Amino acid sequence: MSNFWNKQIERADHLANESSGSKELLTFYAQLLRAQAEFYDSLRSSKDWLPSGDLETDVPAIRSSMTVLLQTVAQHGPPSLAEEAQTLLDAEPPVLPDKLREYWHNPSDTQFFAKALLQPYARWLNETQTTPAGRELTGGERTCPFCGGRPQLSFLQAKESTAESGNRDLLCATCLTTWEFRRVVCANCGEERPAKLGYFHSPEFDHVRIEACDSCKHYLKGIDLTRLGYAVPLVDEVYAAPLDLWAREHGYTKIELNLVGL
Ligand SMILES: [Zn+2]
Ligand SMILES: [Zn+2]
C-alpha cells in the first residue's frame, strides 16, 4: 500500500483510539480510508492499464474496483450513507458512472460517494502525471493547479522559506495533492486585508485553527505542522470537528465539507 494512504490510516486509527468527541467520526473515516486505499491499490496494480485522464474512458476499467468502497460504507457507515451505498450497489449500471460524471464536471461536497471514489482516482492521475480531462481550471490560485479542485484545508510546515508562500499550502479536496498559497489570504475569495481575516483557536486542538473570512463568510481549517510535526492534515482536520461547530455557530460556511460531512 502506498505511503500516503498508510500515513492517513495510521493517524486515523491512532486518533480514534484517543478518547475524544470525534471518536465515531474517526473510526468511520479510518474504514473509509482503508477502502479508498484498496481502490487506489487496485488502480495502481492494474497491469497493462494506465488512466487516460478522461473519466468517460476510464470508468469502465475502474468500475468493478469501486464496489469495495460501497460495501464498506454499506456495512460501517452512518445509517443514511449506508442506505445510499446499498442502493448504489443494487442500482442499474449507469447510476454510479452518472454520479461520477456529474461530480467530475460540477463538483459538490455533498456528493459523498463521487468524492470518496474520485479522490483515489484523481490522486492516481496526479501520480502518473496524467492530465485530467474535462475539468474547469478557472479558479486561479485558489483552486488546485492540477485538477481544479477546491481546497479542503490549509497547513503550515517548516520548509525552505519562500517569501510569497510563507510556508502555507492548501490541500486539494479532489486529488489530495497540495499547492503553495500565500499566508494571509482568504482561500475562498482572495481577501487580503488582515482586518477581514479572523482566526479561532481552542486549547483542545493546539495545532488546528479556524481561518475565517468576514468578506465572504467562508472558512477552512489550518493545521500547523510546526506545532505538531506528526499531525496528518487530512485526518487532523476531521479530528478537530468541534471547531466546525464553532464556525457554523458564528455564521461561517466551510469552503469544502470533508468526507464525514463536516
Ligand atoms: Zn486537485
Ligand atoms: Zn473570503
Side-chain angles (χ1 to χ4, degrees), residues 5-41:
W5 295 103
N6 265 340
K7 217 173 135 187
Q8 318 299 312
I9 291 166
E10 275 169 21
R11 183 70 177 153
D13 283 346
H14 172 77
L15 289 174
N17 285 328
E18 284 194 347
S19 61
S20 89
S22 311
K23 192 180 180 67
E24 266 183 40
L25 293 176
L26 286 160
T27 303
F28 171 59
Y29 192 41
Q31 281 156 341
L32 188 60
L33 284 165
R34 281 192 170 80
Q36 287 186 302
E38 205 173 316
F39 175 40
Y40 180 84
D41 275 352

PDB file of all heavy atoms in Angstrom, residues 5-41:
ATOM      1  N   TRP A   5      -1.458   6.671   1.764  1.00  0.00           N
ATOM      2  CA  TRP A   5      -2.672   6.120   2.385  1.00  0.00           C
ATOM      3  C   TRP A   5      -2.347   5.530   3.753  1.00  0.00           C
ATOM      4  O   TRP A   5      -3.121   5.676   4.695  1.00  0.00           O
ATOM      5  CB  TRP A   5      -3.323   5.089   1.464  1.00  0.00           C
ATOM      6  CG  TRP A   5      -3.810   5.718   0.194  1.00  0.00           C
ATOM      7  CD1 TRP A   5      -3.211   5.659  -1.029  1.00  0.00           C
ATOM      8  CD2 TRP A   5      -4.971   6.553   0.024  1.00  0.00           C
ATOM      9  NE1 TRP A   5      -3.934   6.391  -1.946  1.00  0.00           N
ATOM     10  CE2 TRP A   5      -5.015   6.946  -1.330  1.00  0.00           C
ATOM     11  CE3 TRP A   5      -5.974   6.999   0.895  1.00  0.00           C
ATOM     12  CZ2 TRP A   5      -6.018   7.770  -1.837  1.00  0.00           C
ATOM     13  CZ3 TRP A   5      -6.987   7.810   0.389  1.00  0.00           C
ATOM     14  CH2 TRP A   5      -6.998   8.199  -0.968  1.00  0.00           C
ATOM     15  N   ASN A   6      -1.226   4.827   3.849  1.00  0.00           N
ATOM     16  CA  ASN A   6      -0.833   4.258   5.144  1.00  0.00           C
ATOM     17  C   ASN A   6      -0.751   5.317   6.228  1.00  0.00           C
ATOM     18  O   ASN A   6      -1.167   5.105   7.359  1.00  0.00           O
ATOM     19  CB  ASN A   6       0.546   3.603   5.017  1.00  0.00           C
ATOM     20  CG  ASN A   6       0.391   2.124   4.753  1.00  0.00           C
ATOM     21  OD1 ASN A   6      -0.665   1.559   5.029  1.00  0.00           O
ATOM     22  ND2 ASN A   6       1.422   1.503   4.219  1.00  0.00           N
ATOM     23  N   LYS A   7      -0.172   6.435   5.852  1.00  0.00           N
ATOM     24  CA  LYS A   7       0.002   7.513   6.811  1.00  0.00           C
ATOM     25  C   LYS A   7      -1.353   8.032   7.314  1.00  0.00           C
ATOM     26  O   LYS A   7      -1.544   8.271   8.511  1.00  0.00           O
ATOM     27  CB  LYS A   7       0.753   8.653   6.103  1.00  0.00           C
ATOM     28  CG  LYS A   7       1.747   9.378   6.963  1.00  0.00           C
ATOM     29  CD  LYS A   7       2.546  10.349   6.105  1.00  0.00           C
ATOM     30  CE  LYS A   7       2.631  11.669   6.841  1.00  0.00           C
ATOM     31  NZ  LYS A   7       3.240  12.735   6.057  1.00  0.00           N
ATOM     32  N   GLN A   8      -2.295   8.172   6.399  1.00  0.00           N
ATOM     33  CA  GLN A   8      -3.626   8.660   6.790  1.00  0.00           C
ATOM     34  C   GLN A   8      -4.309   7.638   7.707  1.00  0.00           C
ATOM     35  O   GLN A   8      -4.916   7.994   8.711  1.00  0.00           O
ATOM     36  CB  GLN A   8      -4.543   8.903   5.570  1.00  0.00           C
ATOM     37  CG  GLN A   8      -3.911   9.565   4.351  1.00  0.00           C
ATOM     38  CD  GLN A   8      -3.348  10.948   4.602  1.00  0.00           C
ATOM     39  OE1 GLN A   8      -4.005  11.801   5.190  1.00  0.00           O
ATOM     40  NE2 GLN A   8      -2.121  11.171   4.184  1.00  0.00           N
ATOM     41  N   ILE A   9      -4.205   6.364   7.321  1.00  0.00           N
ATOM     42  CA  ILE A   9      -4.898   5.306   8.075  1.00  0.00           C
ATOM     43  C   ILE A   9      -4.316   5.193   9.487  1.00  0.00           C
ATOM     44  O   ILE A   9      -5.060   5.128  10.475  1.00  0.00           O
ATOM     45  CB  ILE A   9      -4.780   3.956   7.329  1.00  0.00           C
ATOM     46  CG1 ILE A   9      -5.601   4.007   6.038  1.00  0.00           C
ATOM     47  CG2 ILE A   9      -5.253   2.801   8.214  1.00  0.00           C
ATOM     48  CD1 ILE A   9      -5.303   2.882   5.054  1.00  0.00           C
ATOM     49  N   GLU A  10      -3.003   5.200   9.585  1.00  0.00           N
ATOM     50  CA  GLU A  10      -2.370   5.082  10.906  1.00  0.00           C
ATOM     51  C   GLU A  10      -2.775   6.234  11.823  1.00  0.00           C
ATOM     52  O   GLU A  10      -3.058   6.040  12.996  1.00  0.00           O
ATOM     53  CB  GLU A  10      -0.841   5.068  10.763  1.00  0.00           C
ATOM     54  CG  GLU A  10      -0.308   3.685  10.471  1.00  0.00           C
ATOM     55  CD  GLU A  10       1.163   3.717  10.057  1.00  0.00           C
ATOM     56  OE1 GLU A  10       1.861   4.712  10.376  1.00  0.00           O
ATOM     57  OE2 GLU A  10       1.602   2.753   9.408  1.00  0.00           O
ATOM     58  N   ARG A  11      -2.800   7.411  11.263  1.00  0.00           N
ATOM     59  CA  ARG A  11      -3.166   8.578  12.065  1.00  0.00           C
ATOM     60  C   ARG A  11      -4.641   8.500  12.498  1.00  0.00           C
ATOM     61  O   ARG A  11      -4.983   8.810  13.638  1.00  0.00           O
ATOM     62  CB  ARG A  11      -2.899   9.853  11.254  1.00  0.00           C
ATOM     63  CG  ARG A  11      -3.171  11.155  12.004  1.00  0.00           C
ATOM     64  CD  ARG A  11      -2.174  11.403  13.103  1.00  0.00           C
ATOM     65  NE  ARG A  11      -2.419  12.687  13.758  1.00  0.00           N
ATOM     66  CZ  ARG A  11      -2.086  12.959  15.012  1.00  0.00           C
ATOM     67  NH1 ARG A  11      -1.470  12.050  15.747  1.00  0.00           N
ATOM     68  NH2 ARG A  11      -2.332  14.150  15.533  1.00  0.00           N
ATOM     69  N   ALA A  12      -5.489   8.064  11.585  1.00  0.00           N
ATOM     70  CA  ALA A  12      -6.922   7.955  11.917  1.00  0.00           C
ATOM     71  C   ALA A  12      -7.132   6.899  12.998  1.00  0.00           C
ATOM     72  O   ALA A  12      -7.901   7.109  13.942  1.00  0.00           O
ATOM     73  CB  ALA A  12      -7.733   7.630  10.664  1.00  0.00           C
ATOM     74  N   ASP A  13      -6.436   5.766  12.892  1.00  0.00           N
ATOM     75  CA  ASP A  13      -6.545   4.717  13.923  1.00  0.00           C
ATOM     76  C   ASP A  13      -6.085   5.252  15.270  1.00  0.00           C
ATOM     77  O   ASP A  13      -6.714   5.038  16.297  1.00  0.00           O
ATOM     78  CB  ASP A  13      -5.665   3.509  13.547  1.00  0.00           C
ATOM     79  CG  ASP A  13      -6.312   2.654  12.473  1.00  0.00           C
ATOM     80  OD1 ASP A  13      -7.519   2.826  12.225  1.00  0.00           O
ATOM     81  OD2 ASP A  13      -5.601   1.806  11.885  1.00  0.00           O
ATOM     82  N   HIS A  14      -4.968   5.950  15.244  1.00  0.00           N
ATOM     83  CA  HIS A  14      -4.402   6.481  16.482  1.00  0.00           C
ATOM     84  C   HIS A  14      -5.366   7.456  17.154  1.00  0.00           C
ATOM     85  O   HIS A  14      -5.659   7.350  18.349  1.00  0.00           O
ATOM     86  CB  HIS A  14      -3.064   7.170  16.186  1.00  0.00           C
ATOM     87  CG  HIS A  14      -2.498   7.897  17.362  1.00  0.00           C
ATOM     88  ND1 HIS A  14      -1.876   7.237  18.407  1.00  0.00           N
ATOM     89  CD2 HIS A  14      -2.482   9.215  17.671  1.00  0.00           C
ATOM     90  CE1 HIS A  14      -1.511   8.129  19.316  1.00  0.00           C
ATOM     91  NE2 HIS A  14      -1.854   9.332  18.897  1.00  0.00           N
ATOM     92  N   LEU A  15      -5.877   8.394  16.364  1.00  0.00           N
ATOM     93  CA  LEU A  15      -6.763   9.412  16.953  1.00  0.00           C
ATOM     94  C   LEU A  15      -8.112   8.821  17.374  1.00  0.00           C
ATOM     95  O   LEU A  15      -8.711   9.277  18.342  1.00  0.00           O
ATOM     96  CB  LEU A  15      -6.960  10.568  15.961  1.00  0.00           C
ATOM     97  CG  LEU A  15      -5.733  11.461  15.747  1.00  0.00           C
ATOM     98  CD1 LEU A  15      -6.000  12.473  14.636  1.00  0.00           C
ATOM     99  CD2 LEU A  15      -5.337  12.187  17.030  1.00  0.00           C
ATOM    100  N   ALA A  16      -8.555   7.781  16.642  1.00  0.00           N
ATOM    101  CA  ALA A  16      -9.829   7.155  17.006  1.00  0.00           C
ATOM    102  C   ALA A  16      -9.713   6.481  18.371  1.00  0.00           C
ATOM    103  O   ALA A  16     -10.696   6.369  19.106  1.00  0.00           O
ATOM    104  CB  ALA A  16     -10.246   6.144  15.946  1.00  0.00           C
ATOM    105  N   ASN A  17      -8.512   6.033  18.715  1.00  0.00           N
ATOM    106  CA  ASN A  17      -8.313   5.360  19.998  1.00  0.00           C
ATOM    107  C   ASN A  17      -8.156   6.326  21.166  1.00  0.00           C
ATOM    108  O   ASN A  17      -8.249   5.927  22.321  1.00  0.00           O
ATOM    109  CB  ASN A  17      -7.085   4.451  19.939  1.00  0.00           C
ATOM    110  CG  ASN A  17      -7.391   3.188  19.155  1.00  0.00           C
ATOM    111  OD1 ASN A  17      -8.523   2.708  19.175  1.00  0.00           O
ATOM    112  ND2 ASN A  17      -6.405   2.675  18.442  1.00  0.00           N
ATOM    113  N   GLU A  18      -7.870   7.567  20.857  1.00  0.00           N
ATOM    114  CA  GLU A  18      -7.816   8.557  21.925  1.00  0.00           C
ATOM    115  C   GLU A  18      -9.250   8.909  22.302  1.00  0.00           C
ATOM    116  O   GLU A  18     -10.108   9.018  21.448  1.00  0.00           O
ATOM    117  CB  GLU A  18      -7.123   9.835  21.423  1.00  0.00           C
ATOM    118  CG  GLU A  18      -5.631   9.707  21.321  1.00  0.00           C
ATOM    119  CD  GLU A  18      -4.980  11.082  21.148  1.00  0.00           C
ATOM    120  OE1 GLU A  18      -5.710  12.062  20.873  1.00  0.00           O
ATOM    121  OE2 GLU A  18      -3.757  11.146  21.282  1.00  0.00           O
ATOM    122  N   SER A  19      -9.479   9.077  23.563  1.00  0.00           N
ATOM    123  CA  SER A  19     -10.855   9.428  23.925  1.00  0.00           C
ATOM    124  C   SER A  19     -11.107  10.876  23.542  1.00  0.00           C
ATOM    125  O   SER A  19     -10.415  11.787  23.963  1.00  0.00           O
ATOM    126  CB  SER A  19     -11.071   9.224  25.420  1.00  0.00           C
ATOM    127  OG  SER A  19     -10.199  10.056  26.137  1.00  0.00           O
ATOM    128  N   SER A  20     -12.076  11.054  22.692  1.00  0.00           N
ATOM    129  CA  SER A  20     -12.437  12.410  22.295  1.00  0.00           C
ATOM    130  C   SER A  20     -13.810  12.381  21.673  1.00  0.00           C
ATOM    131  O   SER A  20     -14.337  11.331  21.318  1.00  0.00           O
ATOM    132  CB  SER A  20     -11.432  12.987  21.294  1.00  0.00           C
ATOM    133  OG  SER A  20     -11.823  12.667  19.980  1.00  0.00           O
ATOM    134  N   GLY A  21     -14.382  13.547  21.505  1.00  0.00           N
ATOM    135  CA  GLY A  21     -15.721  13.644  20.936  1.00  0.00           C
ATOM    136  C   GLY A  21     -15.794  13.193  19.490  1.00  0.00           C
ATOM    137  O   GLY A  21     -16.870  12.971  18.959  1.00  0.00           O
ATOM    138  N   SER A  22     -14.619  13.076  18.839  1.00  0.00           N
ATOM    139  CA  SER A  22     -14.626  12.748  17.412  1.00  0.00           C
ATOM    140  C   SER A  22     -14.402  11.254  17.157  1.00  0.00           C
ATOM    141  O   SER A  22     -14.164  10.856  16.023  1.00  0.00           O
ATOM    142  CB  SER A  22     -13.544  13.549  16.688  1.00  0.00           C
ATOM    143  OG  SER A  22     -13.611  14.905  17.030  1.00  0.00           O
ATOM    144  N   LYS A  23     -14.470  10.438  18.196  1.00  0.00           N
ATOM    145  CA  LYS A  23     -14.128   9.020  18.061  1.00  0.00           C
ATOM    146  C   LYS A  23     -14.916   8.304  16.957  1.00  0.00           C
ATOM    147  O   LYS A  23     -14.345   7.630  16.115  1.00  0.00           O
ATOM    148  CB  LYS A  23     -14.378   8.325  19.400  1.00  0.00           C
ATOM    149  CG  LYS A  23     -13.803   6.925  19.463  1.00  0.00           C
ATOM    150  CD  LYS A  23     -14.090   6.310  20.832  1.00  0.00           C
ATOM    151  CE  LYS A  23     -13.532   4.928  20.948  1.00  0.00           C
ATOM    152  NZ  LYS A  23     -12.061   4.894  20.943  1.00  0.00           N
ATOM    153  N   GLU A  24     -16.234   8.492  16.962  1.00  0.00           N
ATOM    154  CA  GLU A  24     -17.056   7.790  15.964  1.00  0.00           C
ATOM    155  C   GLU A  24     -16.718   8.242  14.547  1.00  0.00           C
ATOM    156  O   GLU A  24     -16.640   7.439  13.627  1.00  0.00           O
ATOM    157  CB  GLU A  24     -18.539   8.071  16.215  1.00  0.00           C
ATOM    158  CG  GLU A  24     -19.192   7.011  17.062  1.00  0.00           C
ATOM    159  CD  GLU A  24     -20.677   7.270  17.226  1.00  0.00           C
ATOM    160  OE1 GLU A  24     -21.329   7.687  16.255  1.00  0.00           O
ATOM    161  OE2 GLU A  24     -21.156   7.073  18.350  1.00  0.00           O
ATOM    162  N   LEU A  25     -16.525   9.554  14.396  1.00  0.00           N
ATOM    163  CA  LEU A  25     -16.184  10.090  13.078  1.00  0.00           C
ATOM    164  C   LEU A  25     -14.876   9.492  12.580  1.00  0.00           C
ATOM    165  O   LEU A  25     -14.742   9.094  11.427  1.00  0.00           O
ATOM    166  CB  LEU A  25     -16.013  11.617  13.150  1.00  0.00           C
ATOM    167  CG  LEU A  25     -17.236  12.472  13.437  1.00  0.00           C
ATOM    168  CD1 LEU A  25     -16.818  13.931  13.561  1.00  0.00           C
ATOM    169  CD2 LEU A  25     -18.255  12.299  12.323  1.00  0.00           C
ATOM    170  N   LEU A  26     -13.900   9.417  13.497  1.00  0.00           N
ATOM    171  CA  LEU A  26     -12.582   8.944  13.091  1.00  0.00           C
ATOM    172  C   LEU A  26     -12.578   7.440  12.820  1.00  0.00           C
ATOM    173  O   LEU A  26     -11.871   6.968  11.931  1.00  0.00           O
ATOM    174  CB  LEU A  26     -11.549   9.287  14.168  1.00  0.00           C
ATOM    175  CG  LEU A  26     -11.182  10.770  14.200  1.00  0.00           C
ATOM    176  CD1 LEU A  26     -10.576  11.152  15.536  1.00  0.00           C
ATOM    177  CD2 LEU A  26     -10.225  11.108  13.062  1.00  0.00           C
ATOM    178  N   THR A  27     -13.387   6.703  13.570  1.00  0.00           N
ATOM    179  CA  THR A  27     -13.478   5.264  13.327  1.00  0.00           C
ATOM    180  C   THR A  27     -14.048   5.023  11.932  1.00  0.00           C
ATOM    181  O   THR A  27     -13.529   4.214  11.155  1.00  0.00           O
ATOM    182  CB  THR A  27     -14.372   4.609  14.397  1.00  0.00           C
ATOM    183  OG1 THR A  27     -13.827   4.922  15.674  1.00  0.00           O
ATOM    184  CG2 THR A  27     -14.442   3.112  14.224  1.00  0.00           C
ATOM    185  N   PHE A  28     -15.087   5.754  11.598  1.00  0.00           N
ATOM    186  CA  PHE A  28     -15.670   5.632  10.256  1.00  0.00           C
ATOM    187  C   PHE A  28     -14.669   6.107   9.196  1.00  0.00           C
ATOM    188  O   PHE A  28     -14.475   5.449   8.171  1.00  0.00           O
ATOM    189  CB  PHE A  28     -16.970   6.433  10.151  1.00  0.00           C
ATOM    190  CG  PHE A  28     -17.497   6.532   8.737  1.00  0.00           C
ATOM    191  CD1 PHE A  28     -17.804   5.380   8.014  1.00  0.00           C
ATOM    192  CD2 PHE A  28     -17.672   7.756   8.129  1.00  0.00           C
ATOM    193  CE1 PHE A  28     -18.274   5.456   6.708  1.00  0.00           C
ATOM    194  CE2 PHE A  28     -18.138   7.845   6.814  1.00  0.00           C
ATOM    195  CZ  PHE A  28     -18.440   6.697   6.112  1.00  0.00           C
ATOM    196  N   TYR A  29     -14.008   7.206   9.463  1.00  0.00           N
ATOM    197  CA  TYR A  29     -13.074   7.745   8.469  1.00  0.00           C
ATOM    198  C   TYR A  29     -11.911   6.774   8.224  1.00  0.00           C
ATOM    199  O   TYR A  29     -11.467   6.604   7.082  1.00  0.00           O
ATOM    200  CB  TYR A  29     -12.560   9.121   8.914  1.00  0.00           C
ATOM    201  CG  TYR A  29     -11.835   9.868   7.825  1.00  0.00           C
ATOM    202  CD1 TYR A  29     -12.311   9.857   6.518  1.00  0.00           C
ATOM    203  CD2 TYR A  29     -10.676  10.594   8.089  1.00  0.00           C
ATOM    204  CE1 TYR A  29     -11.647  10.538   5.508  1.00  0.00           C
ATOM    205  CE2 TYR A  29     -10.012  11.287   7.078  1.00  0.00           C
ATOM    206  CZ  TYR A  29     -10.503  11.249   5.791  1.00  0.00           C
ATOM    207  OH  TYR A  29      -9.840  11.910   4.786  1.00  0.00           O
ATOM    208  N   ALA A  30     -11.465   6.105   9.292  1.00  0.00           N
ATOM    209  CA  ALA A  30     -10.379   5.122   9.129  1.00  0.00           C
ATOM    210  C   ALA A  30     -10.829   3.986   8.211  1.00  0.00           C
ATOM    211  O   ALA A  30     -10.069   3.523   7.350  1.00  0.00           O
ATOM    212  CB  ALA A  30      -9.952   4.576  10.489  1.00  0.00           C
ATOM    213  N   GLN A  31     -12.084   3.557   8.366  1.00  0.00           N
ATOM    214  CA  GLN A  31     -12.589   2.481   7.494  1.00  0.00           C
ATOM    215  C   GLN A  31     -12.701   2.965   6.051  1.00  0.00           C
ATOM    216  O   GLN A  31     -12.368   2.245   5.105  1.00  0.00           O
ATOM    217  CB  GLN A  31     -13.956   2.006   8.001  1.00  0.00           C
ATOM    218  CG  GLN A  31     -13.815   1.070   9.180  1.00  0.00           C
ATOM    219  CD  GLN A  31     -15.065   1.051  10.052  1.00  0.00           C
ATOM    220  OE1 GLN A  31     -15.895   1.962   9.990  1.00  0.00           O
ATOM    221  NE2 GLN A  31     -15.185   0.022  10.860  1.00  0.00           N
ATOM    222  N   LEU A  32     -13.151   4.191   5.922  1.00  0.00           N
ATOM    223  CA  LEU A  32     -13.284   4.760   4.582  1.00  0.00           C
ATOM    224  C   LEU A  32     -11.912   4.889   3.909  1.00  0.00           C
ATOM    225  O   LEU A  32     -11.745   4.556   2.733  1.00  0.00           O
ATOM    226  CB  LEU A  32     -13.954   6.136   4.710  1.00  0.00           C
ATOM    227  CG  LEU A  32     -14.359   6.837   3.430  1.00  0.00           C
ATOM    228  CD1 LEU A  32     -15.348   5.996   2.638  1.00  0.00           C
ATOM    229  CD2 LEU A  32     -14.983   8.193   3.762  1.00  0.00           C
ATOM    230  N   LEU A  33     -10.923   5.345   4.669  1.00  0.00           N
ATOM    231  CA  LEU A  33      -9.571   5.478   4.118  1.00  0.00           C
ATOM    232  C   LEU A  33      -9.027   4.120   3.680  1.00  0.00           C
ATOM    233  O   LEU A  33      -8.368   4.008   2.640  1.00  0.00           O
ATOM    234  CB  LEU A  33      -8.635   6.091   5.158  1.00  0.00           C
ATOM    235  CG  LEU A  33      -8.769   7.607   5.381  1.00  0.00           C
ATOM    236  CD1 LEU A  33      -8.075   8.017   6.676  1.00  0.00           C
ATOM    237  CD2 LEU A  33      -8.200   8.391   4.199  1.00  0.00           C
ATOM    238  N   ARG A  34      -9.332   3.085   4.454  1.00  0.00           N
ATOM    239  CA  ARG A  34      -8.881   1.743   4.065  1.00  0.00           C
ATOM    240  C   ARG A  34      -9.503   1.334   2.728  1.00  0.00           C
ATOM    241  O   ARG A  34      -8.848   0.773   1.863  1.00  0.00           O
ATOM    242  CB  ARG A  34      -9.249   0.721   5.136  1.00  0.00           C
ATOM    243  CG  ARG A  34      -8.314   0.740   6.315  1.00  0.00           C
ATOM    244  CD  ARG A  34      -8.524  -0.475   7.231  1.00  0.00           C
ATOM    245  NE  ARG A  34      -7.449  -0.525   8.208  1.00  0.00           N
ATOM    246  CZ  ARG A  34      -7.409   0.231   9.319  1.00  0.00           C
ATOM    247  NH1 ARG A  34      -8.401   1.062   9.582  1.00  0.00           N
ATOM    248  NH2 ARG A  34      -6.377   0.149  10.138  1.00  0.00           N
ATOM    249  N   ALA A  35     -10.793   1.634   2.588  1.00  0.00           N
ATOM    250  CA  ALA A  35     -11.475   1.283   1.344  1.00  0.00           C
ATOM    251  C   ALA A  35     -10.921   2.105   0.180  1.00  0.00           C
ATOM    252  O   ALA A  35     -10.734   1.597  -0.934  1.00  0.00           O
ATOM    253  CB  ALA A  35     -12.976   1.501   1.487  1.00  0.00           C
ATOM    254  N   GLN A  36     -10.625   3.381   0.440  1.00  0.00           N
ATOM    255  CA  GLN A  36     -10.039   4.223  -0.623  1.00  0.00           C
ATOM    256  C   GLN A  36      -8.655   3.698  -1.008  1.00  0.00           C
ATOM    257  O   GLN A  36      -8.290   3.667  -2.179  1.00  0.00           O
ATOM    258  CB  GLN A  36      -9.922   5.671  -0.149  1.00  0.00           C
ATOM    259  CG  GLN A  36     -11.263   6.401  -0.067  1.00  0.00           C
ATOM    260  CD  GLN A  36     -11.066   7.877   0.274  1.00  0.00           C
ATOM    261  OE1 GLN A  36     -10.489   8.203   1.310  1.00  0.00           O
ATOM    262  NE2 GLN A  36     -11.530   8.759  -0.584  1.00  0.00           N
ATOM    263  N   ALA A  37      -7.895   3.282   0.010  1.00  0.00           N
ATOM    264  CA  ALA A  37      -6.547   2.770  -0.249  1.00  0.00           C
ATOM    265  C   ALA A  37      -6.603   1.494  -1.076  1.00  0.00           C
ATOM    266  O   ALA A  37      -5.795   1.282  -1.984  1.00  0.00           O
ATOM    267  CB  ALA A  37      -5.827   2.513   1.072  1.00  0.00           C
ATOM    268  N   GLU A  38      -7.591   0.660  -0.763  1.00  0.00           N
ATOM    269  CA  GLU A  38      -7.730  -0.591  -1.504  1.00  0.00           C
ATOM    270  C   GLU A  38      -8.082  -0.306  -2.965  1.00  0.00           C
ATOM    271  O   GLU A  38      -7.548  -0.924  -3.890  1.00  0.00           O
ATOM    272  CB  GLU A  38      -8.830  -1.428  -0.835  1.00  0.00           C
ATOM    273  CG  GLU A  38      -8.676  -2.906  -1.088  1.00  0.00           C
ATOM    274  CD  GLU A  38      -9.674  -3.711  -0.261  1.00  0.00           C
ATOM    275  OE1 GLU A  38      -9.843  -3.399   0.952  1.00  0.00           O
ATOM    276  OE2 GLU A  38     -10.287  -4.612  -0.831  1.00  0.00           O
ATOM    277  N   PHE A  39      -8.975   0.649  -3.156  1.00  0.00           N
ATOM    278  CA  PHE A  39      -9.359   1.059  -4.506  1.00  0.00           C
ATOM    279  C   PHE A  39      -8.126   1.619  -5.235  1.00  0.00           C
ATOM    280  O   PHE A  39      -7.835   1.258  -6.380  1.00  0.00           O
ATOM    281  CB  PHE A  39     -10.479   2.093  -4.417  1.00  0.00           C
ATOM    282  CG  PHE A  39     -10.889   2.696  -5.738  1.00  0.00           C
ATOM    283  CD1 PHE A  39     -10.983   1.920  -6.878  1.00  0.00           C
ATOM    284  CD2 PHE A  39     -11.207   4.046  -5.835  1.00  0.00           C
ATOM    285  CE1 PHE A  39     -11.367   2.478  -8.098  1.00  0.00           C
ATOM    286  CE2 PHE A  39     -11.580   4.615  -7.040  1.00  0.00           C
ATOM    287  CZ  PHE A  39     -11.658   3.835  -8.175  1.00  0.00           C
ATOM    288  N   TYR A  40      -7.386   2.459  -4.536  1.00  0.00           N
ATOM    289  CA  TYR A  40      -6.188   3.051  -5.121  1.00  0.00           C
ATOM    290  C   TYR A  40      -5.186   1.969  -5.541  1.00  0.00           C
ATOM    291  O   TYR A  40      -4.618   2.006  -6.637  1.00  0.00           O
ATOM    292  CB  TYR A  40      -5.546   4.002  -4.109  1.00  0.00           C
ATOM    293  CG  TYR A  40      -4.302   4.664  -4.627  1.00  0.00           C
ATOM    294  CD1 TYR A  40      -4.385   5.810  -5.395  1.00  0.00           C
ATOM    295  CD2 TYR A  40      -3.049   4.120  -4.363  1.00  0.00           C
ATOM    296  CE1 TYR A  40      -3.237   6.408  -5.895  1.00  0.00           C
ATOM    297  CE2 TYR A  40      -1.903   4.718  -4.850  1.00  0.00           C
ATOM    298  CZ  TYR A  40      -2.003   5.858  -5.618  1.00  0.00           C
ATOM    299  OH  TYR A  40      -0.874   6.436  -6.115  1.00  0.00           O
ATOM    300  N   ASP A  41      -4.999   0.991  -4.636  1.00  0.00           N
ATOM    301  CA  ASP A  41      -4.060  -0.088  -4.945  1.00  0.00           C
ATOM    302  C   ASP A  41      -4.503  -0.898  -6.163  1.00  0.00           C
ATOM    303  O   ASP A  41      -3.670  -1.343  -6.952  1.00  0.00           O
ATOM    304  CB  ASP A  41      -3.902  -1.015  -3.742  1.00  0.00           C
ATOM    305  CG  ASP A  41      -2.845  -0.485  -2.781  1.00  0.00           C
ATOM    306  OD1 ASP A  41      -2.155   0.498  -3.149  1.00  0.00           O
ATOM    307  OD2 ASP A  41      -2.709  -1.045  -1.677  1.00  0.00           O
TER     308      ASP A  41
END
